[in-house]
Amino acid sequence: MLAECCHLTVVISSITKTVEIENGRNVELIDVNDNAPEFQQANYSASVSEVAGINSTVIKVEAEDKDFSPEFSILTYSLWGPNSDYFSIREGDGNIMVKKPLDYNEVNFFNLTVQAKEKFGNQSATASLIINVEDYDTLNPYFSQSVYHGNISENQRHNQVGPLAVLPEVLAQDGDKGINEKIIYSIKLVNPPAYNNSFSINDAGVLEVKTSIDREICPNLVVGIQVEIVFVF
């Protein structure tokens, strides 16, 4: 505490009477660093979009030191933990901000520790901080490979229509793994075009032959498949 002037009253008592003597004195009360910093809560958590801009504020952590004098009550903040370099903490006020671009597919969970320390003293406190990165629709869906090969059996020529044997099976997935989106398959083209109506594809990516195809007339076909994603609420 700072030096203060106190007015003292000295009371002298005896069996017969009481005498009060007023005697003003300046008394200096010296603050002792007997309080450590304390965070407002032991555990903090926050979420941030992977497209949040550099220097965007994610969360603010706060601590307090109950010592009166500034040399013991002014605090500085620091941050550490695995991949903590994605974030920075403002030393003077505990604001935690994005330091470098986030990518949900690279790191989407941070388990960090924040510290509040007396700027001119040695006492400190820590709290845990969990940051979850939210996925954003930044990536297109993609196929497991660019070209698939299928065979139509001789039996299928004789009106035996049905699923086409494709190995490996046609498979696409969304590059954004943290978003609940459905992949929709469709046929974009068939070459020769005369067979446009001879094929269909379902939601699982299974290609089917709908009409018979004569090998002698058409020994090879090209079917172009397209995928798009639809957000599922």
Side-chain angles (χ1 to χ4, degrees), residues 23-180:
N23 193 347
R25 289 288 186 270
N26 290 326
V27 179
E28 184 179 2
L29 302 179
I30 299 175
D31 193 15
V32 176
N33 188 12
D34 56 351
N35 290 291
E38 292 182 3
F39 278 96
Q40 292 183 353
Q41 54 194 78
N43 303 291
Y44 291 86
S45 63
S47 296
V48 59
S49 171
E50 67 172 335
V51 295
I54 303 300
N55 295 325
S56 297
T57 297
V58 178
I59 191 175
K60 181 178 182 179
V61 298
E62 293 185 79
E64 180 185 9
D65 191 313
K66 294 181 179 179
D67 288 306
F68 184 78
S69 59
E71 65 178 302
F72 299 135
S73 61
I74 296 177
L75 304 176
T76 60
Y77 295 88
S78 58
L79 174 73
W80 70 80
N83 299 304
S84 60
D85 56 320
Y86 280 88
F87 304 95
S88 63
I89 187 167
R90 214 150 52 196
E91 185 179 274
D93 62 12
N95 270 301
I96 295 172
M97 298 169 291
V98 177
K99 185 178 179 181
K100 68 180 189 178
L102 300 168
D103 188 332
Y104 178 92
N105 290 339
E106 288 187 7
V107 186
N108 53 56
F109 177 83
F110 296 86
N111 188 353
L112 308 175
T113 300
V114 290
Q115 181 188 65
K117 183 180 181 298
E118 296 169 341
K119 187 172 184 178
F120 302 107
N122 296 317
Q123 300 197 77
S124 63
T126 59
S128 69
L129 170 63
I130 301 297
I131 299 178
N132 292 288
V133 178
E134 297 174 340
D135 201 5
Y136 191 83
D137 192 5
T138 57
L139 300 174
N140 293 322
Y142 61 93
F143 286 98
S144 58
Q145 58 189 64
S146 58
V147 178
Y148 296 87
H149 296 277
N151 295 303
I152 300 175
S153 68
E154 286 296 319
N155 287 335
Q156 260 180 323
R157 273 200 313 127
H158 302 289
N159 296 321
Q160 298 297 315
V161 298
L164 180 62
V166 179
L167 292 175
E169 64 181 19
V170 177
L171 178 65
Q173 55 186 319
D174 186 8
D176 297 297
K177 302 183 184 303
I179 301 177
N180 188 21

Side-chain angles (χ1 to χ4, degrees), residues 152 156-157 161 187-201 207-224:
I152 300 175
Q156 260 180 323
R157 273 200 313 127
V161 298
I187 294 175
K188 187 177 181 180
L189 65 87
V190 177
N191 192 18
Y195 295 93
N196 277 338
N197 297 321
S198 296
F199 297 91
S200 66
I201 191 167
L207 190 64
E208 294 192 9
V209 180
K210 297 172 63 179
T211 61
S212 60
I213 298 173
D214 192 329
R215 177 182 175 84
E216 280 69 34
I217 297 175
C218 182
N220 297 288
L221 296 105
V222 175
V223 180

